[in-house]
Amino acid sequence: MWYFLNVIFNILNKKIYNYFPYPYFVSVVHLFVGVVYCLVSWAVGLPKRAPMDSNLLKLLFPVAVCHALGHVTSNVSFAAVAVSFTHTIKALEPFFNAAASQFILGQSIPLNLWLSLAPVVLGVSMASLTELSFNWVGFISAMISNISFTYRSIYSKKAMTDMDSTNLYAYISIIALFVCIPPAIILEGPKLMKHGFGDAITKVGLTKFITDLFWVGMFYHLYNQLATNTLERVAPLTHAVGNVLKRVFVIGFSIIVFGNKISTQTGIGTVIAIAGVAIYSYIKAKMEEEKRQAKAA
């Protein structure tokens, strides 16, 4: 379900950008639909709303800000370049995670883990050099998104609470929505009022425009919710492998659906990068498993 919802989200999202290139506004819609979904779920008691206090809000605020920044910059990249290319750059996320763990958290990263990241960097570099849809806005935005999500995981570790993942993600979505609204109004508001909405409605009609935005928001929220719930239910290794396969799925489907022409070098680079992430994920998850067993012993 996680893969299925993720693939549909990525495809529908890119289709919207093809006739409505306003990533800041669309990012707000993604979060807004998710927040409405959460509020309705709380209202009917599925799940029961967990209480929130000022201490918890202080802990969750940096997580939500990083979530908002990572989400918006991912969307700026999706709007600017091919979906497959954004996901290839986002395969660099483990590299940023390892660097942050070593240099910010002061955890020592073993040499074999660093070496497993070499093919990821090489693969992404190869893919970028010959990517037909390449532009700097798409590339830099995807890189900022990597850094934001790395900081999100650092702050998430600090904000570990007893709250269940569904409530936690709901609160993060609500805070992230408020963070995303001002830049959307400032950067895209005037253009949207002048011709953005009008152009989109002329191209696809009001009904399709609204239903596209509603469904893309639903799929965004549900795939994230399922990814979080999956994390709770499986061992780190399973989740790590699952995350890598998700990228393969999304890249493959987006190339088929949009008929993206990719050069041989981009194809080889993407395969090398994904293989590197798979090796890294495997080594990292094995280390986590050994740590867990040592603790249990």
Side-chain angles (χ1 to χ4, degrees):
M1 280 303 286
W2 169 26
Y3 285 14
F4 172 70
L5 293 170
N6 195 290
V7 166
I8 292 181
F9 162 74
N10 276 281
I11 289 167
L12 182 55
N13 207 37
K14 186 62 180 177
K15 282 186 171 174
I16 290 169
Y17 287 136
N18 286 342
Y19 69 79
F20 184 69
Y22 296 94
Y24 289 87
F25 176 78
V26 174
S27 300
V28 168
V29 171
H30 291 158
L31 290 165
F32 177 74
V33 173
V35 165
V36 171
Y37 176 89
C38 293
L39 295 175
V40 171
S41 302
W42 279 339
V44 297
L46 289 165
K48 195 169 180 301
R49 186 176 74 82
M52 169 63 74
D53 59 39
S54 57
N55 289 335
L56 193 54
L57 189 64
K58 271 183 210 157
L59 284 173
L60 289 184
F61 188 75
V63 179
V65 169
C66 293
H67 179 68
L69 183 61
H71 177 52
V72 169
T73 48
S74 292
N75 275 286
V76 170
S77 182
F78 285 137
V81 293
V83 172
S84 52
F85 182 51
T86 300
H87 276 282
T88 304
I89 303 166
K90 282 170 78 66
L92 276 173
E93 215 175 292
F95 175 80
F96 287 99
N97 268 324
S101 298
Q102 177 103 40
F103 302 115
I104 297 169
L105 296 178
Q107 298 167 353
S108 68
I109 302 291
L111 183 63
N112 61 348
L113 210 54
W114 279 115
L115 290 173
S116 71
L117 288 166
V120 184
V121 178
L122 173 71
V124 171
S125 307
M126 278 177 69
S128 303
L129 287 170
T130 53
E131 168 58 41
L132 302 171
S133 74
F134 183 91
N135 66 46
W136 283 107
V137 171
F139 180 80
I140 292 167
S141 299
M143 284 300 222
I144 294 170
S145 146
N146 280 337
I147 296 164
S148 304
F149 286 139
T150 297
Y151 273 96
R152 182 184 68 179
S153 68
I154 291 171
Y155 286 125
S156 296
K157 285 193 183 96
K158 288 181 182 172
M160 283 311 259
T161 83
D162 298 332
M163 198 186 285
D164 65 286
S165 62
T166 306
N167 270 299
L168 201 59
Y169 185 64
Y171 281 122
I172 288 169
S173 296
I174 291 167
I175 302 165
L177 173 63
F178 285 106
V179 173
C180 287
I181 289 171
I185 293 170
I186 294 161
L187 295 167
E188 291 179 345
K191 282 185 276 184
L192 284 168
M193 299 313 290
K194 204 171 170 187
H195 53 77
F197 292 128
D199 288 354
I201 293 162
T202 307
K203 282 176 194 163
V204 297
L206 181 62
T207 311
K208 181 172 168 49
F209 181 47
I210 290 170
T211 52
D212 276 0
L213 289 175
F214 169 75
W215 283 113
V216 83
M218 279 301 286
F219 285 123
Y220 170 75
H221 181 79
L222 291 173
Y223 101 71
N224 273 296
Q225 187 60 71
L226 270 169
T228 316
N229 294 357
T230 308
L231 235 182
E232 276 190 327
R233 286 170 170 76
V234 298
L237 179 58
T238 314
H239 199 266
V241 172
N243 234 334
V244 177
L245 289 176
K246 182 201 81 178
R247 292 231 184 276
V248 176
F249 242 72
V250 173
I251 289 169
F253 270 99
S254 69
I255 289 169
I256 294 162
V257 171
F258 295 107
N260 293 344
K261 301 263 185 297
I262 58 164
S263 66
T264 310
Q265 186 177 319
T266 297
I268 294 167
T270 303
V271 170
I272 292 171
I274 296 292
V277 175
I279 296 163
Y280 168 85
S281 304
Y282 179 74
I283 296 170
K284 180 107 167 64
K286 270 196 87 157
M287 282 164 52
E288 298 279 328
E289 200 60 45
E290 281 161 15
K291 258 193 227 163
R292 279 225 316 241
Q293 283 168 356
K295 259 188 192 169

